[in-house]
Amino acid sequence: MSAHIPDYIAAMKNALQQTHDLKAKLAEAERRNSPEPIAIIGMGCRLPQRIKTPDQFWNFLCAGGDAITEIPSERWNVEDFFDPDPAVPGKSHIRHGSFIDQVDQFDPQFFNIAPREAILMDPQQRLLLEVSWEALEYANIIPGTLSESLTGVFIGIFTNDYRSLSGHQHTTDLHDQSGSALSVAAGRVSYVLGLTGPSVAVDTACSSSLVAVHQACQSLRQHECHLALAGGVGLILSPEIMISFSKANMLASDGRCKTFDAAADGYVRGEGCGVIVLKRLSDALQDGDAILSVICGSAINHDGPSSGLTVPRGPSQQAVIRQALQQASLEPQSISYIEAHGTGTSLGDPIEIGALSAVFRDREIPLRVGSVKTNMGHLEAAAGITGLIKIVLMAQHQKIPPHLHFQQPNPQIEWDNLPIQIPVTLKPWQAHKRMAGVSSFGFSGTNAHVIVSEWIPDPVADAAEEKGAERPAHILTLSAKSAAGLAAQVQAYQDYIAEHATLDLAELCYTAATCRSHFAYRQVFVACSRGELQEQLAARAAGDHTAVATGHAPAHQIAPTVAFLFTGQGSQYAGMGQELYETQPTFRATLDECDAILQPLLDGASILEIMN
């Protein structure tokens, strides 16, 4: 009979296990259906007007900067391809744009690339390597520590001018194929840094970089990668596309994007590169990263049955914004600023404003709308990421930069009936919580919208952070892979300190020592004040090496391990190591840990008291 009695205990255990498994699956499904916010922890850019850092970009925006110039002679001879008559075959009636300086300059040895291979590399790939490295350093991540990590790379790239330049289009060299392939733009960043996460080049024309950001966020949420680089790049290296767009009447005759203005007659082409570093918000908080802003939601779609392949469609623009809001679990009233696609075309501007007014209607406070294209033209594949970086800077500084060339509102837009305001001067960004959207619409028909929120740190957590006594002196450690690179580092730090009057010297030196790569050529500065450090940097820049310690170690040298030894009876004295304990957090934490371990063995006595 006992063989037929049911095993109720085993059945109950099995049921409990199944319940546990189902709850785990439900929690995972809920997590995936409620997308986690994505933290922006670093960014880098290379933009016209010699803009090489986000700080320089912000100063340019606040000053109402205009980056448009005549096409540089090193790109091509303007007169050979220009004619004021748009009907003349093979000629462009446009002679302006916004351009990056010295795109032919590159240090291949820094990235362990042979000079012969570097010559055949599209400068867009070179820019991406440099700006990706800078973005990681901005995030206080040493690039060398990411080797074999699940770090993804998502890059928007559209044009391929370098391939068509004379002397390269007929070569059969493998380096030429890899140097000009759009797919390699992302792949090379992954290869050089040793990253093993997804590596994707995105080409949806003008929306490429914002689509890349969306894909990076999705990949992070799906745990395909733990860290992601996302951005875009575009360079204007030959006249062919300029002529083509000119013939299509897409470009402004005066070389200015007069977005939302009555005089809007097209856009002006520009070039640039932008990269941001992304991480899941929970991971960024756990890792103690400096969070710049948070991506709450994003979406992409297509225009579908518009009146023409390259013609924008209002309902699709509305839909992509609503999808991004829905993913972010936000109402339209939460958004106080929109960085518009805003190319400045007579057809596109009214459609975009109409879509915005349909989504953001019934507002008590007007929605402010601007476009960085009025400052530096349409950066095409890099346009979306440039607008996103602008929003991050706005949230950090709590200001809205001026939208340029808005003299007479476009009469095709019913401004009086719209809850929209165009900021034409530098204004405070006042909101309970600063949240903004950035739009990017490709002439491929692919639309993208990303919603960004300011990050408000937890004051309780910040107040709880333990800080030791102020150090009497600070050590600034600089390094590079060459003597010229080291000199450039010295000059860069000299400029940075001069531009930041409220700089925390301790934080600067800590970051340089612990969050930067250390190479063969090294230099150390010891200073007690900001002014003293400036003097030493200036002396080094002028060629005086007496105030500093310099070193040149073999590239393969392993970094030494540092230890402190306090000897026994006969050498120690009261208070030995006290200043080190008070000023060095790592030393203090280690000594506290030793004290906790030894107290039970010393009947409750503290080694800290013995040492004092």
Side-chain angles (χ1 to χ4, degrees), residues 124-339:
Q124 294 180 127
Q125 292 188 19
R126 305 176 200 169
L127 269 179
L128 281 171
L129 285 173
E130 294 172 347
V131 178
S132 296
W133 186 283
E134 292 164 5
L136 288 169
E137 287 197 331
Y138 195 106
N140 292 330
I141 296 173
I142 299 174
T145 64
L146 296 178
S147 182
E148 298 287 346
S149 70
L150 276 178
T151 299
V153 179
F154 302 82
I155 299 299
I157 185 168
F158 169 34
T159 57
N160 200 359
D161 290 359
Y162 198 63
R163 175 89 175 146
S164 64
L165 292 180
S166 176
H168 294 281
Q169 65 267 41
H170 301 302
T171 181
T172 57
D173 193 301
L174 177 61
H175 290 323
D176 177 66
Q177 305 307 314
S178 61
S180 59
L182 296 184
S183 59
V184 178
R188 193 182 294 275
V189 174
S190 297
Y191 170 75
V192 168
L193 299 179
L195 314 178
T196 61
S199 190
V200 181
V202 178
D203 178 7
T204 59
C206 316
S207 58
S208 297
S209 58
L210 217 57
V211 172
V213 170
H214 169 77
Q215 291 187 343
C217 293
Q218 297 294 83
S219 183
L220 283 164
R221 292 182 177 120
Q222 293 170 12
H223 290 254
E224 295 174 340
C225 56
H226 302 316
L227 185 76
L229 296 170
V233 63
L235 290 177
I236 305 170
L237 304 177
S238 66
E240 283 81 2
I241 294 179
M242 192 79 80
I243 294 170
S244 176
F245 286 179
S246 173
K247 294 305 177 192
N249 294 319
M250 299 168 64
L251 305 180
S253 57
D254 62 353
R256 297 295 186 278
C257 285
K258 301 173 286 294
T259 307
F260 308 136
D261 191 82
D265 61 346
Y267 69 87
V268 57
R269 298 186 70 206
E271 56 186 25
C273 180
V275 175
I276 57 175
V277 184
L278 302 174
K279 188 183 283 189
R280 289 181 292 272
L281 179 59
S282 58
D283 290 343
L285 291 171
Q286 182 177 351
D287 296 341
D289 293 309
I291 299 172
L292 308 177
S293 288
V294 175
I295 295 177
C296 305
S298 61
I300 60 175
N301 72 3
H302 193 271
D303 283 332
S306 64
S307 59
L309 173 62
T310 62
V311 178
R313 185 167 179 259
S316 293
Q317 293 182 13
Q318 295 178 39
V320 77
I321 296 172
R322 289 195 172 101
Q323 289 165 14
L325 287 167
Q326 182 179 11
Q327 188 188 75
S329 300
L330 292 173
E331 295 298 324
Q333 288 73 19
S334 303
I335 308 300
S336 53
Y337 178 86
I338 291 291
E339 176 65 17

Side-chain angles (χ1 to χ4, degrees), residues 457-473:
D458 183 353
V460 177
D462 286 353
E465 183 180 350
E466 184 182 0
K467 293 187 177 180
E470 178 66 25
R471 295 179 177 88

Side-chain angles (χ1 to χ4, degrees), residues 245-483:
F245 286 179
S246 173
K247 294 305 177 192
N249 294 319
M250 299 168 64
L251 305 180
S253 57
D254 62 353
R256 297 295 186 278
C257 285
K258 301 173 286 294
T259 307
F260 308 136
D261 191 82
D265 61 346
Y267 69 87
V268 57
R269 298 186 70 206
E271 56 186 25
C273 180
V275 175
I276 57 175
V277 184
L278 302 174
K279 188 183 283 189
R280 289 181 292 272
L281 179 59
S282 58
D283 290 343
L285 291 171
Q286 182 177 351
D287 296 341
D289 293 309
I291 299 172
L292 308 177
S293 288
V294 175
I295 295 177
C296 305
S298 61
I300 60 175
N301 72 3
H302 193 271
D303 283 332
S306 64
S307 59
L309 173 62
T310 62
V311 178
R313 185 167 179 259
S316 293
Q317 293 182 13
Q318 295 178 39
V320 77
I321 296 172
R322 289 195 172 101
Q323 289 165 14
L325 287 167
Q326 182 179 11
Q327 188 188 75
S329 300
L330 292 173
E331 295 298 324
Q333 288 73 19
S334 303
I335 308 300
S336 53
Y337 178 86
I338 291 291
E339 176 65 17
H341 181 62
T343 52
T345 62
S346 57
L347 177 63
D349 285 359
I351 291 175
E352 183 170 11
I353 289 293
L356 291 174
S357 63
V359 175
F360 297 100
R361 62 181 181 273
D362 302 327
R363 300 173 60 91
E364 294 182 3
I365 300 176
L367 177 72
R368 289 175 174 173
V369 179
S371 176
V372 71
K373 291 181 179 66
T374 62
N375 299 95
M376 54 181 57
H378 187 358
L379 306 193
E380 296 172 350
I385 191 65
T386 304
L388 195 154
I389 291 174
K390 173 186 172 181
I391 286 178
V392 174
L393 293 169
M394 287 169 52
Q396 287 183 307
H397 295 276
Q398 302 180 6
K399 294 179 181 178
I400 299 177
H403 174 100
L404 307 186
H405 315 309
F406 188 70
Q407 307 293 332
Q408 168 112 22
N410 191 323
Q412 299 181 49
I413 300 172
E414 298 180 0
W415 296 99
D416 293 339
N417 300 322
L418 300 180
I420 289 174
Q421 185 180 90
I422 309 297
V424 294
T425 59
L426 182 66
K427 295 178 178 293
W429 189 0
Q430 297 174 336
H432 173 67
K433 188 173 185 179
R434 295 166 185 85
M435 307 190 77
V438 54
S439 292
S440 203
F441 310 136
F443 80 163
S444 65
T446 300
N447 307 310
H449 191 80
V450 174
I451 295 174
V452 181
S453 169
E454 70 171 326
W455 174 248
I456 303 175
D458 183 353
V460 177
D462 286 353
E465 183 180 350
E466 184 182 0
K467 293 187 177 180
E470 178 66 25
R471 295 179 177 88
H474 302 278
I475 302 174
L476 177 63
T477 56
L478 304 182
S479 70
K481 288 190 175 184
S482 65

Side-chain angles (χ1 to χ4, degrees), residues 52-75:
K52 296 183 178 180
T53 68
D55 281 351
Q56 292 174 351
F57 184 30
W58 177 248
N59 293 335
F60 168 82
L61 291 171
C62 289
D66 188 338
I68 307 304
T69 63
E70 189 164 285
I71 298 168
S73 58
E74 57 264 26
R75 300 307 171 90

